[in-house]
Amino acid sequence: MRTRRLVAVVLAVALASFVDPAMAHASGLGSQDAGDAPFWFVMVTGGGVVGGSFLFATLLTDHEAIRMVNAWRLRVPVDGRLRRAVVALAGLASVAALAGILYVAFAGPANGQSNAAVLVVWAGWWAGYTISVYLLADTWPLVDPWRRIAGLLPRFDRRYPERFGSWPAVAGLLGLVWLEVVSPVSENPRLLGVVVAGYTVVTLAGAVVFGPDAWFGHVDPIAHAFRFFGRIAPVQRTDDGLAVGLPASTLAHPSEPARDETAFIVALLWATTYDGLVSTGPWALAAEFLVGVGVPPLLLYLGLLVTGYALFRFVYRVASARARESAESLVSPGYVARWFAPALLPIAAGYHVAHFLGYFLQLSEQLLRTVSAPLTTTTISLVSLPGWFSSLQLVFVVAGHLFAIWVAHALSFELFPGRLQPIRSQYPFTFVMIFYTMTSMWIIAQPYTPPPYV
Amino acid sequence: MTATTDTTDSESEKRSGPTFEVPVPETDASGVEDSVPCPYCDRPFRRERLRDLHVGEVHPAECTDEEYAAYETALDDEKDDLFTFHMQIVVTLGLLFFVFVFSYMGVVTLL
């Protein structure tokens, strides 16, 4: 209960600081010992912070200044020899890690909690490493073991059917999330080994048939996810080294948006929400009811996955069409959707960090213990997190939306002329975002309920 | 399709525009009969003022002096609207702030 009050105070102070910075420091909201704020009020405050930030952003209409902030870069040249050495070492290490994961998955302890492969894949890689990709830099091309192995294999370079676009990656991502939810792959080391081995075989075969560029550029869902998450990162790769900019500023650079990027970005957003939604109490109740009336469980989870994705696409498409109208523009609705899609990425990242940072920290000690003794069974030890951590999660959700507002604000000035038209284009998106913030906060705050029937 | 802005015209050198290529968006003007196209990239606009703003912003180096003057007029007109708009925003932000602070106080004392 204390945490809810804390969140309300943090969010109220954040809201206040947008209006009057002096007031935020002097008001001392925390000093008065008030009662607990109910959770719905915390949610509404989160939505209010997002709406308020949009209003605040509308006061910043100096196009040159917006461009300057986003274009600020600190260039760090990297010596060619050093670069090649790092690339070679990272390649060897990543292939060794993949081999190690496969070996330990089958030969290590059968109990997931003491199997290093399970901990490395879920806590180390999907939680911790992914966080590093969007908070720091996209290092995946450096350590992608499949791409490294594929580079050594022969290739037939069969033409990749362009009409499929990135849809295989969308299907692959949603498929992996579905598998993670419905199967014990996140706790059963042997099954994890089978999945990793299967993924390896499919990926390498695809890269051999279509060539690595086509495969990792269109089909491989993991490479796709990291490429998009990596665009948020402050550190970006340049031709002669690295460039450090402000977080998410790369997303604000106007470039011809690729046709099929939106489908994947929306899938990434929905995948993070889906993962959280299926472990809430209300979903468990709904699932029990639907399975009770005869819906097969696996189909139910697949149905939710597909329906939710379709709903997200629909809402985003409607918002884009409305944006065209509120901005009085003649840019096609599809182009509006593609143009603003990068702004959705910080929302997905904010949700991911809210969902997985705690998981990673709790399991971090266990991760180190199992990796240092991969073949022995150890007892589980969880790092306990302080009580205020759950409040921090809500702040992460809101923060993702604030970055999204800034990116969309900057992008709107590149697409629409003048200053009022760009601002007006953002009304529908902001409206949707306020509700999405509140929904995500609700999901994050639900006590974990194991998804039933799977 | 992209529109490049190079400053070859000596008269327009002081006009600043984007230093990178700005993509020309795909448009759909079906059902809009009186759309106004940009003379440089054909992008249609619903109103002349928006077209003038676009020409000055994206094609400052290529456009004629008349077009640039039209841009500056449009910018000036917009400034007045923007001021009114910003006043509304500041009032809304203030209201939002007080509504939240008061309802926070209300919610924690009542519930």
Side-chain angles (χ1 to χ4, degrees):
Chain A
M1 275 296 143
R2 280 188 66 81
T3 59
R4 286 185 182 177
R5 190 168 78 213
L6 189 75
V7 174
V9 170
V10 167
L11 293 180
V13 170
L15 184 70
S17 58
F18 282 118
V19 184
D20 185 351
M23 205 155 178
H25 296 130
S27 64
L29 278 171
S31 61
Q32 39 181 291
D33 197 12
D36 295 323
F39 188 71
W40 64 261
F41 185 71
V42 177
M43 266 165 59
V44 172
T45 311
V49 170
V50 171
S53 318
F54 163 71
L55 295 179
F56 183 75
T58 65
L59 298 173
L60 312 170
T61 51
D62 184 342
H63 196 168
E64 281 307 307
I66 296 171
R67 274 185 182 156
M68 257 173 58
V69 169
N70 286 322
W72 179 82
R73 291 287 181 280
L74 187 71
R75 295 192 184 279
V76 186
V78 176
D79 178 64
R81 270 175 307 175
L82 176 67
R83 193 175 187 157
R84 279 189 293 276
V86 170
V87 168
L89 273 178
L92 282 176
S94 67
V95 175
L98 177 65
I101 287 168
L102 282 169
Y103 178 73
V104 175
F106 291 112
N111 172 6
Q113 290 172 343
S114 48
N115 189 295
V118 171
L119 281 143
V120 167
V121 169
W122 297 109
W125 177 75
W126 183 236
Y129 176 75
T130 308
I131 291 173
S132 85
V133 167
Y134 51 73
L135 290 189
L136 198 64
D138 178 16
T139 45
W140 187 243
L142 203 59
V143 297
D144 181 347
W146 298 294
R147 184 142 203 174
R148 290 313 186 88
I149 301 170
L152 304 172
L153 298 176
R155 56 172 87 168
F156 299 120
D157 281 333
R158 272 200 55 184
R159 244 186 102 75
Y160 175 75
E162 292 293 329
R163 70 200 148 90
F164 289 164
S166 289
W167 282 102
V170 173
L173 179 74
L174 294 179
L176 285 177
V177 173
W178 180 72
L179 193 69
E180 188 249 320
V181 169
V182 301
S183 78
V185 68
S186 55
E187 39 213 79
N188 182 331
R190 311 292 183 251
L191 181 63
L192 177 69
V194 171
V195 170
V196 174
Y199 194 87
T200 304
V201 170
V202 171
T203 304
L204 295 181
V208 165
V209 173
F210 296 106
D213 289 341
W215 188 262
F216 294 99
H218 292 290
V219 184
D220 188 52
I222 293 173
H224 253 74
F226 285 130
R227 189 177 317 134
F228 283 110
F229 271 147
R231 281 167 60 183
I232 307 167
V235 181
Q236 298 285 332
R237 215 172 58 160
T238 61
D239 291 338
D240 63 342
L242 303 170
V244 186
L246 295 173
S249 62
T250 311
L251 300 171
H253 184 79
S255 50
E256 186 68 37
R259 242 164 213 290
D260 43 9
E261 272 186 5
T262 315
F264 191 83
I265 292 176
V266 175
L268 205 55
L269 194 62
W270 164 238
T272 49
T273 301
Y274 174 78
D275 204 19
L277 184 64
V278 293
S279 47
T280 62
W283 164 254
L285 288 177
E288 272 158 25
F289 171 76
L290 288 167
V291 172
V293 297
V295 182
L298 290 188
L299 202 66
L300 177 67
Y301 281 86
L302 189 65
L304 176 71
L305 185 74
V306 175
T307 322
Y309 178 61
L311 179 74
F312 267 47
R313 296 233 358 166
F314 175 74
V315 170
Y316 186 58
R317 201 173 297 168
V318 169
S320 304
R322 295 297 277 273
R324 164 190 148 105
E325 297 309 317
S326 64
E328 287 192 287
S329 171
L330 291 173
V331 177
S332 73
Y335 194 90
V336 173
R338 297 202 288 282
W339 185 261
F340 289 106
L344 300 173
L345 288 168
I347 304 179
Y351 193 88
H352 183 275
V353 75
H355 196 72
F356 284 108
L357 182 63
Y359 176 77
F360 171 70
L361 292 176
Q362 279 183 320
L363 288 169
S364 53
E365 191 190 331
Q366 184 71 4
L367 174 67
L368 290 178
R369 276 165 43 141
T370 53
V371 169
S372 51
L375 297 178
T376 49
T377 304
T378 49
T379 50
I380 178 112
S381 76
L382 291 178
V383 176
S384 62
L385 298 176
W388 47 261
F389 194 83
S390 56
S391 325
L392 197 61
Q393 290 180 310
L394 300 178
V395 174
F396 288 142
V397 169
V398 175
H401 284 266
L402 299 191
F403 276 105
I405 285 194
W406 170 252
V407 171
H409 181 68
L411 284 173
S412 70
F413 274 78
E414 300 294 354
L415 184 61
F416 302 115
R419 287 158 295 180
L420 275 171
Q421 205 190 15
I423 289 171
R424 289 190 179 129
S425 73
Q426 294 308 297
Y427 295 165
F429 291 124
T430 308
F431 184 77
V432 172
M433 230 191 265
I434 289 172
F435 284 95
Y436 191 42
T437 308
M438 296 196 282
T439 313
S440 299
M441 288 174 83
W442 178 82
I443 292 177
I444 283 286
Q446 295 306 301
Y448 177 80
T449 314
Y453 305 109
V454 289
Chain B
M1 230 182 22
T2 51
T4 52
T5 49
D6 51 347
T7 42
T8 43
D9 188 349
S10 59
E11 279 186 13
S12 54
E13 256 176 16
K14 55 183 180 293
R15 300 172 187 168
S16 69
T19 49
F20 44 79
E21 293 191 344
V22 179
V24 178
E26 174 192 285
T27 50
D28 177 8
S30 57
V32 183
E33 276 161 26
D34 50 352
S35 68
V36 197
C38 164
Y40 300 96
C41 63
D42 290 334
R43 177 176 163 180
F45 292 88
R46 279 196 217 245
R47 285 193 273 137
E48 222 162 275
R49 188 171 100 167
L50 296 172
R51 195 267 320 267
D52 293 345
L53 285 169
H54 161 83
V55 168
E57 277 174 14
V58 180
H59 313 284
E62 305 134 273
C63 72
T64 65
D65 288 347
E66 291 78 54
E67 281 168 337
Y68 203 75
Y71 160 65
E72 285 173 328
T73 312
L75 213 55
D76 245 20
D77 289 348
E78 198 191 39
K79 208 175 271 172
D80 299 338
D81 294 350
L82 195 67
F83 181 77
T84 319
F85 177 79
H86 276 161
M87 286 297 106
Q88 292 166 341
I89 290 292
V90 169
V91 171
T92 314
L93 267 174
L95 279 176
L96 189 69
F97 173 72
F98 282 108
V99 165
F100 269 96
V101 170
F102 281 120
S103 45
Y104 173 75
M105 284 156 59
V107 155
V108 292
T109 39
L110 294 176
L111 298 175

